[in-house]
Amino acid sequence: MPHTELPTPGRIAEALAALRDRVRETPLLESPVLAREAGAGRLFVKAEGLQRTGSFKLRGALWRLMQLDEAARGRGVVAFSSGNFAQGLAAAGRELGVPVTIVMPVDAPEAKRRATEALGAEMVLSHHGEAPREVAAAALSRDLARERGLTLLHPFDDAEVVAGQGTAGLEAMAQMAEAGAVPEVVVSPVGGGGLMGGVGIALRSAHPTAAIWGAEPEGHDGMGRSLRAGERVAAPGGPTVCDALQAPMPGLATLAACMAAGVMGVAVADGPVIRAMARAFEELKLVLEPSGAVALAAVLAGLVPVAGKVVLVIASGGNIAFDRFAECLARAARAQG
C-alpha cells in the first residue's frame, strides 16, 4: 500500500491481528467519579501509557517495520522524534533485528533520550535555533537517510503507521463491548495525527454516529485549524507543557484520515492539562505525561460536549520524569487551593 493512501478498517484489523503477540493489550478503565465531574453518562480511559515503552507509538512502529523487505531491514531505518516514537521504534527495531537511527531535538526531555538510547538506537541530536524543532529534525533525518542508504520513516505521516496506531481504537472498542458500552463521544490527543487518524477510521467504521474529537495544546492545534480550513494549516506555536504534541502541522495522510473520519478539533490550555494529570493519578492511579492527558483535560474542562454520553478517552502516554511529574502535581494542587 503506498504510504500516502488511507488505511482501511480492514487494514487496521489486520495490523491488530499481527501485533497481538507483540504489544500489550492496555487496560480500559472506567471512572464513575470522572464521569460525574464531566457530566458524562459513563467515561472510559484507554491507558496507552501502560503500553510497552510507555505510549501507543510501539504499535505503529512495529507494524511499519514489519512491512519492510529483508534488504531494507538489513540496511536499517532513520526517523525523527521528540521521544515517544523514538522509544517505540527503537524497541521495535531491537525486537525485529532492524538497526534504528533516531534524530531527536536537542531540547527534547532527557528522560526520553536516555530511554531511547537504552533500547539500542543510535541517537543524533538536532539543533533548530529559531526554526520549529520538528522541521530541523526532519531535515537532518532526510540527510542521514540519503547519506547512509537508510529507509526514512515518518513518525506519523505514513498510512501504515496510522494503521498500527489505530489498533488502540479497535482494542478499546472490543473492551467497551465487553463492558456493555457503545462509544458516543471519542476524544484522543493529537500531535501529527497518526493516533487520531487511525482511531478515527476504526471508530467511524464501527460507530457511524459517534462524535470524534482530537485534542491539542493551545498554540499547537494544527490539526484543528486544518480540519476547519479543509487543508493543512500551520499552528502559531508557543510554550506548552505538552512536549510531545508540537508538530507544526498535521501530515497529509493524517489530515486526510481525520477528515474522512469526521474528526473535530479542540485546543486545551496548560492549566486543564495539568489538572487532568492530577485527576488521572488520583482517580485512576495513572501516571500520564502532559501530552497523554490532553484528551482527558478537554473532557474534564467542558471543552467537548459529553452530557449524558458514553465517552472514550485515549490517554496516550506516560513518559515523564519523576521530578517533572511531581512538579505538575504540585502546580495542580496550588491551582486548586
Side-chain angles (χ1 to χ4, degrees):
M1 178 172 60
H3 300 143
T4 54
E5 292 182 3
L6 295 185
T8 63
R11 187 64 168 174
I12 299 172
E14 182 182 348
L16 180 59
L19 294 176
R20 283 198 188 278
D21 294 333
R22 295 185 180 276
V23 301
R24 181 176 297 154
E25 182 176 325
T26 54
L28 184 75
L29 307 175
E30 183 173 9
S31 174
V33 172
L34 295 181
R36 286 195 296 272
E37 287 185 20
R42 298 178 74 179
L43 189 146
F44 296 85
V45 176
K46 180 64 168 164
E48 279 295 292
L50 298 178
Q51 185 55 262
R52 290 171 49 210
T53 74
S55 86
F56 70 96
K57 294 283 190 177
L58 178 67
R59 297 174 181 271
L62 270 169
W63 178 243
R64 183 64 181 88
L65 290 189
M66 291 167 70
Q67 309 315 304
L68 297 176
D69 60 32
E70 289 302 318
R73 290 192 188 195
R75 290 191 300 271
V77 300
V78 60
F80 69 91
S81 170
S82 62
N84 284 343
F85 187 73
Q87 292 173 69
L89 187 61
R94 184 172 69 174
E95 185 168 320
L96 298 177
V98 180
V100 171
T101 300
I102 294 293
V103 176
M104 187 176 290
V106 68
D107 54 354
E110 178 67 21
K112 293 185 177 182
R113 185 166 73 188
R114 290 197 306 269
T116 303
E117 289 175 326
L119 289 165
E122 177 187 350
M123 294 291 301
V124 179
L125 298 181
S126 61
H127 298 262
H128 52 88
E130 297 299 317
R133 63 182 194 170
E134 281 75 13
V135 172
L140 181 52
S141 65
R142 288 193 297 270
D143 291 343
L144 289 173
R146 184 177 59 253
E147 293 167 4
R148 300 184 184 182
L150 306 175
T151 298
L152 177 64
L153 301 185
H154 198 284
F156 55 83
D157 198 13
D158 183 305
E160 297 291 14
V161 172
V162 172
Q165 315 301 30
T167 61
L170 280 185
E171 256 186 28
M173 283 190 288
Q175 292 167 316
M176 289 187 73
E178 290 177 2
V182 174
E184 296 175 290
V185 180
V186 181
V187 192
S188 172
V190 177
L195 175 65
M196 183 75 269
V199 168
I201 288 173
L203 264 294
R204 180 58 68 217
S205 174
H207 302 290
T209 62
I212 305 176
W213 291 82
E216 300 172 278
E218 284 188 349
H220 297 271
D221 54 335
M223 179 64 80
R225 292 168 185 258
S226 298
L227 289 169
R228 290 187 290 273
E231 61 182 1
R232 289 206 301 168
V233 175
T240 176
V241 294
C242 300
D243 63 89
L245 302 181
Q246 296 187 57
M249 68 173 67
L252 290 168
T254 55
L255 176 59
C258 288
M259 290 180 69
V263 174
M264 298 170 283
V266 62
V268 188
D270 282 355
V273 170
I274 290 171
R275 180 177 182 273
M277 292 172 65
R279 297 302 291 131
F281 182 68
E282 292 163 347
E283 296 299 330
L284 301 173
K285 313 311 173 191
L286 287 180
V287 173
L288 298 180
E289 61 185 294
S291 301
V294 68
L296 181 61
V299 172
L300 294 181
L303 301 176
V304 173
V306 299
K309 303 291 187 180
V310 178
V311 181
L312 169 63
V313 172
I314 309 293
S316 56
N319 288 315
I320 185 170
F322 174 78
D323 56 350
R324 185 161 180 250
F325 183 68
E327 177 188 344
C328 288
L329 294 193
R331 286 178 60 182
R334 289 194 298 270
Q336 187 176 8

